Amino acid sequence: MGTVHLVGAGPGDPDLLTLRAARLLMSVPLIVHDGLVSTEILAMARSDARLVSVAKSRSRHSMPQDEINALLVREARAGRDVVRLKGGDPFIFGRGGEEAEACRAAGVAVEIVPGITSALGAAAAAQVPLTHRDHASIVSFVAGQCKGLSEQDWAGLAGKGRTLVIFMGVATSASIAEKLMADGLSPGTPVAVIENATRADMRVLRAPLAGLAGLVERERVKSPALIVIGEVAAEPDTSVRALALEIAR
Ligand code: SAH
């Protein structure tokens, strides 16, 4: 029997892979990956490895989840070690839980290799500290895709002293902003949108909450992007910093 390794590939930059992820990538005969995994990372695979894309996007499912589960189980039963490679971390909005369950139910050994979730990669790359002694001591990760958005209770997740990070929220950014303002969040709350974090084409865009939908539309923000809401997302005050540096000199 082979083992299924559920591996986090991080946010995109190959330098942000764990050593465990890199070692597995370079050694297994089969890699089953989703659309968020960058080509530079896939290029690290063994030259004779088989790469299977099961890319998912909001509007297009190239392989249904139960077929992915069945593929992992079938290959492991055939004696192959499989890397199931996912963007970011497998257990943060990555369906890693479902795939691990399917493997265990079929008696297949499964290992989880954590990755740097895009929330942490994006925050680092954009220099947005998710917690800060002056601004935030609570961080929440939420999924912003359409299904059931209005029924989700986000009250208390954003506001003073809190940072809210929204995954999969580009398409629904207008409803997200409305929902948060209806919950009492100030329209002036700082928002940063981080697109293609840690990749060469990364963009960091900012607006107050009330301007989020307009920003996404005007700048044609595309997935993958994260929306960070809270004081920590404010533009760093470079004038103050420059002055401090000037004085220090
Ligand atoms: N398991 C992944 C999340 C998968 S859900 C993780 O831990 O990061 C897919 C969402 O992740 C995207 O819609 C986007 O919101 C976010 N995302 C993934 N990679 C990203 C990147 N490089 N830059 C910005 N957002 C990213």
Side-chain angles (χ1 to χ4, degrees), residues 34 36 56-59 61 87 89 91-95 117-119 141-147 149 152 154 165-176 193-195 212 216 221-228:
D34 63 29
L36 282 176
K56 274 195 216 104
S57 76
R58 207 166 154 270
S59 51
H61 281 260
D89 180 85
F91 280 176
I92 298 287
F93 305 125
R95 300 205 183 189
T117 178
S118 57
F141 293 169
V142 301
Q145 81 273 46
C146 257
K147 250 195 225 157
L149 180 63
Q152 283 178 35
W154 289 3
V165 182
I166 302 168
F167 290 68
M168 297 172 280
V170 171
T172 52
S173 59
S175 326
I176 287 171
V193 177
I194 308 166
E195 182 188 61
L212 172 62
V216 165
V221 176
K222 298 259 170 356
S223 184
L226 288 156
I227 302 170
V228 182

Side-chain angles (χ1 to χ4, degrees), residues 11 16 116-128 130 165 194-198 202 204 226 228:
L16 295 176
I116 294 182
T117 178
S118 57
L120 301 187
Q127 305 209 354
V128 170
L130 297 181
V165 182
I194 308 166
E195 182 188 61
N196 290 314
T198 81
M202 173 169 98
V204 183
L226 288 156
V228 182

